[in-house]
């Protein structure tokens, strides 16, 4: 059974940092790009970042460039998202999701998400 | 600016009835269009990719159609478990982009 389990969310003050993690199982992790997608309260889905199978390519939505960093550990079947300089508008449920072709393929497996709340 | 527009925002349907959801792209996305189902507290689920191909394990009552800029998701006979929010997503142009969603609720 495919499983993606996110962790690391929580309440953080503006300007603060968090590190999100996603543990994958049940599929060949090294065959997939890994993505982070978020959903702000009452809003739609927004793709945030992705990383190639071997970690050699990383892409970000403009609004998080320079603040968020995606990484992966293929030995541990995990992907991470380091969130720095957090803003209120970063408040959202963050999902990890897999895709075969980066941003040019659908997101076939998803986790249940982890909530990040940025507030003083 | 590339935009994915879904309509209606909310669709009220009785169990057993047909639901038709629309998704429009501001520029052509060929057939690189996916549909997802979101329920509170659950992992989003891929329903349709390639505009019309059902993902693994998706019931036949879900069907997708369209190409270019106009797409439709049809649920032929709504079951209780189908009441959810549905998103379309294009993966033809960078960056991948989602619509704002259609909530299907019980009439």
């Amino acid at each position: 059974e495919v499983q993606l389990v996110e962790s690391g969310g929580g309440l953080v003050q503006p300007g603060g940092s968090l590190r999100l993690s996603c543990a994958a199982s049940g599929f060949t992790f090294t065959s997939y790009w890994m993505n982070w997608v978020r959903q702000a309260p009452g809003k739609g889905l927004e793709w945030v970042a992705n990383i190639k199978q071997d970690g050699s390519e990383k892409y970000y939505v403009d609004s998080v460039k320079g603040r968020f960093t995606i990484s992966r550990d293929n030995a541990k079947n995990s992907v991470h998202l380091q969130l720095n300089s957090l803003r209120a508008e970063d408040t959202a449920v963050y999902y990890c999701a897999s895709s075969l072709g980066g941003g040019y393929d659908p997101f076939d497996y998803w986790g249940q998400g982890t909530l990040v709340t940025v507030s003083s | 600016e590339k935009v994915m527009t879904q309509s209606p925002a909310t669709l009220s349907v009785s169990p057993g009835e047909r639901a038709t959801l629309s998704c429009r792209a501001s520029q052509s996305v060929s057939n690189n269009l996916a549909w997802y189902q979101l329920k509170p507290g659950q992992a989003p689920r891929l329903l349709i990719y390639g505009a019309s191909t059902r993902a693994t394990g998706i019931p036949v009552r879900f069907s997708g159609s369209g190409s270019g800029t106009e797409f439709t998701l049809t649920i032929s006979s709504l079951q209780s478990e189908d009441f959810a929010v549905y998103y379309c997503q294009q993966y033809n142009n960078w960056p991948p982009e989602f619509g704002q969603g259609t909530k299907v609720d019980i009439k």
Side-chain angles (χ1 to χ4, degrees), chain A residues 37 39 43-47 50 59-60 95 102-108 110-112, chain B residues 34 36 38 41-46 49 87 89 91-96 98-100:
Chain A
V37 177
Q39 184 176 30
K43 303 292 186 181
L45 297 167
E46 178 185 39
W47 171 83
N50 65 9
Y59 300 96
Y60 302 90
Y95 299 97
Y104 295 103
D105 261 331
F107 303 126
D108 36 20
W110 297 66
Q112 291 189 322
Chain B
Y36 302 88
L38 269 74
Q42 295 188 18
R45 181 166 71 148
L46 173 65
Y49 64 93
Y87 290 89
Q89 178 234 338
Y91 50 92
N92 189 72
N93 305 314
W94 187 262
F98 295 86
Q100 287 304 300

Side-chain angles (χ1 to χ4, degrees), chain B residues 11-20 61-62 74-83 86 104-107:
Chain B
L11 185 60
S12 297
V13 184
S14 299
E17 288 188 340
R18 183 186 199 90
T20 302
R61 65 180 180 273
F62 290 91
T74 301
I75 311 171
S76 60
S77 177
L78 271 156
Q79 306 298 302
S80 58
E81 62 267 29
D82 300 335
F83 293 99
Y86 294 83
V104 178
D105 65 14
I106 301 175
K107 187 174 182 180

Side-chain angles (χ1 to χ4, degrees), chain A residues 2 4 24-35 51-55 72-75 77-78 97-103 105-106 108-109:
Chain A
V2 171
L4 292 170
S25 61
F27 65 103
T28 306
F29 183 72
T30 52
S31 294
Y32 287 80
W33 285 71
M34 294 303 296
N35 301 264
I51 184 168
K52 196 176 180 180
Q53 289 89 337
D54 62 0
R72 65 190 293 161
D73 183 341
N74 285 345
N77 283 4
S78 61
S98 63
S99 61
L100 282 171
D105 261 331
D108 36 20
Y109 304 128

